[in-house]
Amino acid sequence: MLHSAMSCGACPVSSSKQTLYDQYVPILQRALSSAVAYLQGMEDRPVRPEAAAVDALESLRGPLQDAPESPEVILEQLDRVGAPATVAKNSGRYFGFVNGGCLPAAMGAAWLVSAWDQNASFWVQSPVAAELEATALEWTRELLGLPRGTGGAVVTGATMANFSALAAARHALFARLGWDVENDGLCGAPELRVVAGEEAHPSLSKALGLLGLGRSRVVRVPVDGQGRMRADALPHLDSRTILCLQAGNVNTGAFDPALELIPAARKAGAWVHVDGAFGMWAAASPASRHLTAGFDQADSWATDGHKWPNSGYDCGLALVRNPEELRAAMSIDAPYLVLGARREPADYTPEFSRRARGVELWAALRQLGRSGMADLVERTIGHARRFAEALRAAGFEILNEVVINQVLVSFGSKEKTLRTIARIQQDGTCWCGSTVWQGRTAMRISVSSWVTTTEDVERSVAAMLKAARE
Ligand SMILES: *Cc1c(COP(=O)(O)O)cnc(C)c1O
């Protein structure tokens, strides 16, 4: 025993084994130089990929060949054919969807995480992954102003965060009714009711569908012109109800009136869940914190690391006031899982094996610090306001109150707006998508990246105005 223990720790690795590890070296060097060239070329390329680059992806298709291929050839191909077919999402002029950039510390951490190749399911498989994700969750809890003792899970995005938090809600409400939903399922179960606003994010419906709570069984609450749930239109709530609120509408950035809604819901014994994919991060800045007032009174929250905190793709967080409810919904037992008393990531996540994405969030939050996170939120909100002001001054209609980093602009009729968006995308200076907001076609501008500068905003405004006048 002693001998084998010593031979592990103290003997040099055999030279043939070393040769296997040596194979990583030129590949990682190649990846580094390609990545650096890619990032340094970001300013000189259109934000959208060229049509020819997308067509060239054809050369990467075809059947898998018989013989092995050299990693160098593969990296060369990815760099030559793959990179040009990317969207320059990490540029300062990508305003599509709500997509954050990737901070340098997060990107570097992602590379290390790949080199470590950790499985973040159990502490024993990766102490570093387990510890750093717990720390990142705790930092997030604090930045979002959520109650002490809140715990949660690091997942792929807000969709899975909604799913996970709602699984905790489902568990808790059924448990109160004496029904064991994890073991006995939904057939024959008492009924739960889900209440959500008419402008809830579609990923919430998807999560409810996956949970067997149904996409279309949701009771929809009418909203105002900004997409905020109308407190006066709230239906009857009881202890069988999950009320889903939103902090940050994906189109307008608006927040449901938590201060009015949550106390009533809690009094009725309902579970309150908050989809705060990006909006909850407004709590990280003293200038916008007021928008999140009252949301801390909820039972669960979903948010994203990859949106406002710029931790890179992918990372979402499910946070639950009583983490035992999440654990009850997610944990599994097996004889080979001899675990200690520590927090085990897989007890809280829908997944078993998973990559250590919590490390990247930890690194992103470390790079920012509290003041950096506040600054990122304020800066991007400032950019959004500048967009709104410049486009309004040019005679175009801004459809939303720009409360955070989202702007909706109409360039006139539906046809004119869609034509303008197509021209903006084709021009390539920046990238914005379209939406239909309460019946009106609009362009969405979401400023979510740490890279975006005032100059990026002015260049983009100029490109938008040029496209609108053509
Ligand atoms: C982006 C978003 C989601 C979905 O998040 P993913 O990270 O893409 O899974 C859910 N809700 C809101 C409000 C969002 O903005």
Side-chain angles (χ1 to χ4, degrees), residues 404-418:
I404 47 171
N405 59 338
Q406 307 295 116
V407 183
L408 294 179
V409 54
S410 161
F411 292 102
S413 66
K414 173 182 170 188
E415 292 70 28
K416 167 104 198 282
T417 299
L418 291 176

Side-chain angles (χ1 to χ4, degrees), residues 225-459:
Q226 298 301 310
R228 290 176 296 229
M229 213 185 269
R230 276 177 37 207
D232 63 341
L234 200 64
H236 170 76
L237 305 174
D238 59 25
S239 60
R240 297 177 176 213
T241 311
I242 302 173
L243 173 65
C244 300
L245 302 189
Q246 191 163 241
N249 176 280
V250 74
N251 283 306
T252 62
F255 293 71
D256 284 334
L259 286 170
E260 287 171 76
L261 295 170
I262 300 185
R266 284 187 75 92
K267 212 157 119 198
W271 178 287
V272 182
H273 170 68
V274 178
D275 178 357
F278 61 103
M280 270 311 290
W281 292 94
S285 158
S288 50
R289 187 169 296 149
H290 63 280
L291 296 167
T292 63
F295 282 100
D296 61 326
Q297 296 305 307
D299 297 287
S300 61
W301 305 263
T303 195
D304 268 320
H306 55 221
K307 287 180 177 169
W308 239 344
N310 281 240
S311 72
Y313 277 72
D314 49 33
C315 178
L317 300 106
L319 293 145
V320 181
R321 175 185 290 269
N322 176 1
E324 280 311 305
E325 316 269 34
L326 180 60
R327 200 180 125 85
M330 296 294 175
S331 71
I332 42 177
D333 255 337
Y336 76 99
L337 303 174
V338 184
L339 305 168
R342 296 183 171 101
R343 175 187 182 277
E344 298 293 349
D347 277 342
Y348 299 89
T349 50
E351 305 93 344
F352 212 58
S353 297
R354 54 201 254 285
R355 65 188 292 282
R357 58 176 64 78
V359 177
E360 293 148 36
L361 179 61
W362 179 90
L365 295 178
R366 276 275 287 153
Q367 180 179 340
L368 292 168
R370 288 167 186 281
S371 68
M373 188 66 224
D375 181 60
L376 175 54
V377 166
E378 283 163 36
R379 218 162 5 103
T380 44
I381 293 177
H383 291 325
R385 291 203 180 118
R386 171 63 195 146
F387 268 118
E389 173 197 86
L391 292 164
R392 196 181 278 125
F396 301 112
E397 190 184 352
I398 304 301
L399 303 186
N400 66 319
E401 292 165 19
V402 181
V403 286
I404 47 171
N405 59 338
Q406 307 295 116
V407 183
L408 294 179
V409 54
S410 161
F411 292 102
S413 66
K414 173 182 170 188
E415 292 70 28
K416 167 104 198 282
T417 299
L418 291 176
R419 264 201 320 273
T420 304
I421 296 169
R423 278 196 215 106
I424 290 166
Q425 292 178 355
Q426 184 50 35
D427 165 70
T429 303
C430 64
W431 201 96
C432 297
S434 67
T435 190
V436 178
W437 177 249
Q438 299 188 344
R440 296 197 56 194
T441 299
M443 183 172 84
R444 300 179 63 253
I445 306 172
S446 174
V447 191
S448 307
S449 174
W450 77 286
V451 188
T452 302
T453 60
T454 306
E455 194 206 330
D456 283 321
V457 174
E458 298 309 326
R459 271 181 70 185

